[in-house]
Amino acid sequence: MYTAGAESFLRQAREIQDEELRKFISRITGLLQNQDLGSETIDCLQRLFLIVSATKYGRKLDGKFVELLQTVLRSPKSPEQVQTLCAAILREMSPCSELAFSCDGIHDTKLLSSVASILLTQGNKKAEVLVVGQRVVKVLEGRLPEGQSVRCLLPLLSQVISLSPESLTEDQTNLLNKRMVDWLRYASLQQGVSQSSGSFFNPRTRQPGPITEVDGTVATDFFTVLSIGQYYTEDQWLNMQAFSVLRKWLLCYGSNGANSPNSDDKSEVDGSVMSMVSATSTSSRLLPPKERLREKAFEYCQRLVEQSNRRALKKVDGDLQKACLVEAVTIMDIICKQDSSYVYRTLSCLKILHGRISGDLAYASALLPIAQFFLNHSETAAVDSEAIYKHLFTKVPAQLFHSPVLAFEFIQFCRDNLQFFTENLGIFRQSFPNLFKFLAWNSPSLISEFMDLLPALLGADTAIEVFHLLLDLPCLTAALDVQLRSALAPMSERAACDPAVKPASCLEAFRHPLYRNMFQHLLRVKAAPREVVDRLTVLRQLLGSMASSPRVVQCSNTVPVLLQLFFEVVAEFADGPLVNQLVLAVLERSDQLYEIPAFKADVHRVLSSQLLLLCKLHPSLVVELSKELLEFSGTVGNVQSKEDIFTYVVWAIGEYMSVSYDKRCTVEQINKFFEALEAMLFEITQVRPSATVPKYSPRVITVLMTALTKLASRSQDLIPRVSLFLSKMRTFVQSSAVSSLYSEEDSEEILTRATELMNLLKMPSVAQFVLTPSAEVASPRFHQDTNISLPLAMKTASRLLERGTGFVPG
């Protein structure tokens, strides 16, 4: 968050008008032309940079002013701060057609850095990238004048590699390989000298002290980024910068030599022998530049692993240790991919490292590259790495779900290796409750990643449990919050609660013996038996006080999106029994949701639409689940609390309770459903003398009428009953108690549907043909071909009905 002062400056910068900006630029132009490069000019340039960078859209600057900025930037008389500001403004304006300079002929490395950085922002034009790359390499080839430094050129080199790796020739990469070796391996072990030393009051310059390790001991091995000094020499800065670009350099230019005759198809013994030989300084100097850099980079990473074992005196050094350890393991993995002879040396090193840090949560981020290494090379080395994956998936998410950086890195790690995990690692799918903790705590920032991850977690064995967990995701967020607060509570407050006393808060419930098992189940780390998945009603009520928490509400917003994807994926592999289980789960859970009104409405909307998909996928479910569907459709409370789901259940009964979809469908079943739906329609359309008449959606009424008509067309003894009922709908709609509840359009919709259905039932054979078409006639392609029988039959029925009643159905 910005401070109030910063917010004010940004607002002023964004709101400045073009006319005011032109006047301001005119003032700066006068200062620059008069070569007044003091504090006033610096202040004006700073404000201009804020103006051009504070808005999303580009600010247009006068072409002559852009040329003036270029002139000032190139002028040797310009102070460094002025040059830096001019370069920053030009970078912010890029791509810019008024730019007309190149980096040719620039010998000052700082100026070259500024000019080249502007050229590299000109829309990734390969010509500019090539020119910058060639110029940077040419400067690095030669000896620099006194006072010049190549430090500012390494970031440019990194940018060139990212934009156009092919811009460097093989000879140039070999040269830079040699330079990288020197920078990484041969930096001084003495500290630098302070620039203020040797002043008038301290004329005698003190001898620089030795470089130390993070634990304060004097360094006896070569310098690395984890070596500590008060002041650093030029070669030490280059050492640190070289390590920062090492991974990118190896990925771009380190692989070609990996498959050379000297490294292909080596046996384990040959690889080990080669590694031991190349470890010596003498043999290392005989290696080609690419292989020598690989060897020195490996040694550098080994030293970082050793240095990470030291106890840092300062927290900032400890954080640096962890970051460097992650980078070192990643680089070692890259080296092993490029030359398999390094696998065995790395394997023993990382096994020891994993054993040392696996119990320390502070080093959890380093477990990911270690696991990646074993995933890439365990088959080559013939080692079993199951224990490493098991520890990673069971321990880390459960304990560090609240770390947003680790959450993203962990899920990204899963995405990168999704195919391997799905095909070879059972623990991955079993650990989905643990993975969902990352989403529950860090949503919606991880929703995109989980859209890729969810299909891999779904199978016939996990689909039902994943469904329940998705619906309980906001509840899981609340439980994680309680778990975290309980862990941070003082020891005096962590005592177990009295079982006889009802808990007064979520924290007390978390420690209460009666509710502990419920929390443990919701916070489980692996898949659990189906029998206990949905027994969390009491826990949802206990956590009800947290339903308005911003984190819980944010999590609830991600559930409908994931539910939609869940059903789309399950539809690809679900068989009849699984579809039946899902439908029962939908009916069961529709009234067992966390009490967030918007969340419940969104979930009901998704469940109702997906219920339609499941019914189309397996129409026989209406017959196979007739008992459950009868109970659901015969409950009046379902109409009010979950109208969407109730409507689609009724539609499915009317559509699929037919012998054309399932030969097991009997007249007795049709009659039972008819009686249940008839009683429901009577209940919601009965005009009561009470002052308050409950209002039901016209859609529910019309769907019930249509379902009853469909059932009657299949059991024609029921036609008189439904016809009588439909004939009374006009009286219902026009009654004074009801007419005040419905709009004219709603009343017309109900009456129109009732009239259509009554007219259709006057010709039972036509009604059965229209309302229950055969599977062939119901196929979508028949509706698109006007020469096929169904459109003709519909037109014929319309004409017949029109002659009989004067009404043409819509």
Side-chain angles (χ1 to χ4, degrees):
M1 294 294 290
Y2 294 113
T3 63
E7 286 282 4
S8 176
F9 277 121
L10 283 171
R11 186 169 59 254
Q12 292 175 27
R14 289 169 183 153
E15 294 175 356
I16 188 170
Q17 300 301 310
D18 290 343
E19 182 61 33
E20 189 179 355
L21 179 59
R22 277 194 293 271
K23 292 179 181 178
F24 184 55
I25 290 175
S26 177
R27 179 185 167 194
I28 298 175
T29 302
L31 291 171
L32 294 178
Q33 287 176 340
N34 294 330
Q35 296 188 353
D36 183 359
L37 306 178
S39 58
E40 183 182 359
T41 303
I42 291 172
D43 180 62
C44 289
L45 289 173
Q46 287 175 336
R47 290 177 59 192
L48 179 59
F49 174 70
L50 180 62
I51 291 169
V52 297
S53 62
T55 55
K56 293 181 181 179
Y57 61 91
R59 293 276 194 180
K60 292 297 293 181
L61 299 183
D62 182 71
K64 292 184 178 179
F65 179 70
V66 172
E67 292 177 7
L68 180 59
L69 288 177
Q70 296 175 64
T71 303
V72 173
L73 173 62
R74 296 287 299 264
S75 173
K77 296 180 180 179
S78 300
E80 183 179 341
Q81 191 172 1
V82 172
Q83 287 180 318
T84 302
L85 286 168
C86 290
I89 294 168
L90 291 171
R91 275 197 303 271
E92 196 63 38
M93 298 302 298
S94 297
C96 181
S97 58
E98 287 83 5
L99 286 176
F101 57 27
S102 71
C103 55
D104 290 338
I106 299 179
H107 301 287
D108 183 272
T109 53
K110 288 185 179 179
L111 180 58
L112 175 60
S113 174
S114 297
V115 172
S117 66
I118 298 169
L119 291 173
L120 291 177
T121 59
Q122 297 304 303
N124 191 14
K125 297 177 181 176
K126 293 209 170 182
E128 278 84 352
V129 176
L130 179 62
V131 169
V132 170
Q134 295 300 312
R135 182 59 187 162
V136 169
V137 173
K138 188 171 183 179
V139 173
L140 290 174
E141 284 177 349
R143 182 179 294 274
L144 293 175
E146 187 70 26
Q148 296 287 307
S149 169
V150 299
R151 265 199 287 161
C152 52
L153 300 183
L154 286 185
L156 288 176
L157 185 62
S158 176
Q159 213 172 345
V160 168
I161 294 171
S162 298
L163 295 174
S164 180
E166 66 276 7
S167 60
L168 301 185
T169 66
E170 185 176 357
D171 289 341
Q172 290 172 332
T173 57
N174 283 335
L175 168 72
L176 291 173
N177 281 328
K178 295 175 182 178
R179 287 297 183 92
M180 294 276 280
V181 167
D182 293 338
W183 294 334
L184 286 172
R185 192 62 179 82
Y186 302 113
S188 170
L189 278 176
Q190 293 295 312
Q191 295 191 39
V193 180
S194 171
Q195 293 182 0
S196 61
S197 61
S199 64
F200 177 79
F201 296 102
N202 184 20
R204 191 189 313 179
T205 303
R206 290 188 298 177
Q207 285 295 108
I211 289 291
T212 62
E213 303 287 1
V214 291
D215 58 1
T217 59
V218 175
T220 56
D221 210 333
F222 61 90
F223 182 91
T224 72
V225 70
L226 282 178
S227 300
I228 307 299
Q230 189 174 5
Y231 304 103
Y232 294 104
T233 61
E234 181 69 17
D235 59 348
Q236 289 166 353
W237 282 116
L238 286 170
N239 177 283
M240 292 183 271
Q241 282 192 313
F243 177 68
S244 71
V245 301
L246 181 58
R247 187 207 301 202
K248 185 183 292 185
W249 182 267
L250 290 174
L251 286 172
C252 286
Y253 303 113
S255 59
N256 293 342
N259 298 323
S260 63
N262 294 330
S263 59
D264 258 351
D265 300 322
K266 296 288 180 183
S267 67
E268 181 175 349
V269 176
D270 291 340
S272 300
V273 171
M274 181 178 179
S275 296
M276 287 187 290
V277 170
S278 63
T280 64
S281 177
T282 304
S283 60
S284 177
R285 291 183 183 279
L286 300 178
L287 291 172
K290 190 175 296 183
E291 282 73 16
R292 187 157 185 258
L293 173 60
R294 195 180 293 143
E295 175 63 35
K296 295 306 177 184
F298 186 82
E299 291 176 4
Y300 193 101
C301 293
Q302 280 186 311
R303 171 137 165 76
L304 288 178
V305 171
E306 181 273 325
Q307 286 178 298
S308 70
N309 194 27
R310 298 174 179 268
R311 184 179 295 277
L313 298 179
K314 297 179 181 178
K315 182 182 182 301
V316 66
D317 292 337
D319 294 338
L320 183 61
Q321 275 181 306
K322 300 176 186 67
C324 289
L325 187 59
V326 170
E327 187 72 5
V329 175
T330 304
I331 291 173
M332 292 168 85
D333 184 25
I334 293 170
I335 292 172
C336 290
K337 285 180 183 177
Q338 296 174 354
D339 188 343
S340 60
S341 66
Y342 287 90
V343 169
Y344 305 99
R345 293 162 65 184
T346 309
L347 190 67
S348 59
C349 172
L350 295 190
K351 274 188 174 180
I352 296 171
L353 177 62
H354 184 269
R356 176 167 63 83
I357 68 173
S358 58
D360 189 348
L361 294 178
Y363 282 90
S365 57
L367 296 176
L368 294 175
I370 293 175
Q372 186 70 59
F373 170 83
F374 280 96
L375 188 148
N376 293 337
H377 305 290
S378 58
E379 186 176 350
T380 302
V383 295
D384 183 12
S385 50
E386 184 76 19
I388 291 175
Y389 305 138
K390 185 175 181 181
H391 175 271
L392 184 69
F393 282 105
T394 56
K395 299 295 182 183
V396 175
Q399 296 173 326
L400 293 172
F401 60 87
H402 50 83
S403 170
V405 174
L406 181 66
F408 176 77
E409 291 176 347
F410 199 105
I411 299 304
Q412 194 65 40
F413 167 76
C414 293
R415 284 177 67 187
D416 292 342
N417 301 286
L418 204 53
Q419 184 175 356
F420 176 86
F421 288 159
T422 305
E423 297 174 356
N424 304 293
L425 204 61
I427 190 66
F428 170 67
R429 183 175 282 178
Q430 294 170 15
S431 301
F432 71 83
N434 235 7
L435 297 176
F436 271 102
K437 291 176 184 175
F438 285 131
L439 177 64
W441 192 261
N442 299 284
S443 58
S445 58
L446 292 180
I447 183 68
S448 175
E449 285 71 22
F450 263 86
M451 294 287 282
D452 295 334
L453 211 59
L454 184 61
L457 298 173
L458 288 173
D461 56 334
T462 61
I464 298 298
E465 191 175 350
V466 170
F467 173 72
H468 284 284
L469 191 54
L470 281 173
L471 294 181
D472 286 326
L473 208 58
C475 196
L476 175 60
T477 305
L480 291 170
D481 189 292
V482 173
Q483 180 189 31
L484 204 57
R485 284 190 285 138
S486 178
L488 297 174
M491 291 298 297
S492 58
E493 298 180 12
R494 297 190 197 179
C497 300
D498 185 353
V501 179
K502 187 177 180 179
S505 66
C506 297
L507 273 174
E508 289 184 13
F510 185 75
R511 295 186 288 267
H512 200 284
L514 293 178
Y515 306 109
R516 187 181 298 127
N517 288 339
M518 296 180 189
F519 274 102
Q520 287 176 348
H521 173 69
L522 187 58
L523 298 170
R524 64 195 183 277
V525 299
K526 294 174 69 176
R530 167 69 183 92
E531 290 75 16
V532 295
V533 168
D534 51 354
R535 307 196 181 280
L536 297 173
T537 305
V538 176
L539 190 56
R540 293 186 202 102
Q541 294 171 353
L542 280 172
L543 295 171
S545 61
M546 301 182 65
S548 59
S549 163
R551 191 180 295 276
V552 173
V553 173
Q554 272 195 328
C555 176
S556 70
N557 293 335
T558 67
V559 174
V561 180
L562 290 172
L563 268 181
Q564 188 81 30
L565 176 63
F566 168 85
F567 283 105
E568 291 174 5
V569 175
V570 169
E572 296 176 2
F573 63 80
D575 55 7
L578 179 56
V579 171
N580 288 351
Q581 290 183 62
L582 274 173
V583 170
L584 289 177
V586 167
L587 300 182
E588 177 186 9
R589 289 304 306 274
S590 57
D591 59 353
Q592 295 180 19
L593 297 171
Y594 201 35
E595 285 298 328
I596 305 175
F599 166 68
K600 294 181 72 173
D602 288 340
V603 168
H604 281 175
R605 174 179 50 78
V606 174
L607 292 182
S608 60
S609 64
Q610 297 309 310
L611 187 63
L612 176 62
L613 172 68
L614 294 175
C615 292
K616 289 182 176 179
L617 196 63
H618 184 57
S620 295
L621 70 86
V622 177
V623 174
E624 295 167 355
L625 302 179
S626 58
K627 179 181 177 182
E628 291 81 2
L629 293 177
L630 268 172
E631 181 181 351
F632 184 87
S633 59
T635 305
V636 179
N638 291 337
V639 185
Q640 293 178 329
S641 62
K642 35 196 166 181
E643 179 187 307
D644 286 342
I645 297 176
F646 178 85
T647 302
Y648 279 99
V649 168
V650 171
W651 178 88
I653 292 171
E655 185 72 13
Y656 298 116
M657 181 54 69
S658 168
V659 71
S660 62
Y661 287 102
D662 194 316
K663 302 297 182 184
R664 295 170 293 177
C665 177
T666 63
V667 173
E668 181 183 2
Q669 285 178 318
I670 292 175
N671 290 341
K672 283 183 179 180
F673 274 108
F674 182 89
E675 290 171 359
L677 298 184
E678 183 185 41
M680 177 61 65
L681 184 58
F682 177 80
E683 178 67 26
I684 67 176
T685 58
Q686 183 181 15
V687 179
R688 298 174 178 81
S690 61
T692 57
V693 179
K695 178 183 178 182
Y696 296 96
S697 165
R699 186 178 67 150
V700 174
I701 297 173
T702 55
V703 169
L704 277 168
M705 291 191 300
T706 305
L708 285 170
T709 306
K710 288 181 178 181
L711 293 176
S713 70
R714 298 160 200 161
S715 179
Q716 297 188 2
D717 293 342
L718 302 173
I719 289 179
R721 288 170 62 177
V722 72
S723 295
L724 179 63
F725 207 115
L726 292 172
S727 66
K728 296 179 179 179
M729 293 308 297
R730 182 175 295 276
T731 305
F732 164 73
V733 171
Q734 292 179 347
S735 65
S736 57
V738 175
S739 59
S740 60
L741 295 176
Y742 293 104
S743 66
E744 186 177 344
E745 291 78 9
D746 291 343
S747 300
E748 185 65 28
E749 182 182 349
I750 295 172
L751 286 177
T752 300
R753 179 57 58 87
T755 305
E756 287 177 1
L757 296 174
M758 278 195 301
N759 288 338
L760 207 53
L761 287 175
K762 290 177 181 178
M763 291 177 290
S765 58
V766 175
Q768 186 172 12
F769 177 78
V770 173
L771 297 174
T772 313
S774 63
E776 293 80 12
V777 174
S779 176
R781 66 186 180 87
F782 287 94
H783 293 277
Q784 298 170 6
D785 191 343
T786 57
N787 298 318
I788 302 300
S789 59
L790 185 59
L792 181 62
M794 293 292 289
K795 290 177 182 178
T796 303
S798 297
R799 292 194 186 98
L800 289 171
L801 294 173
E802 185 179 4
R803 290 173 185 171
T805 64
F807 177 79
V808 181

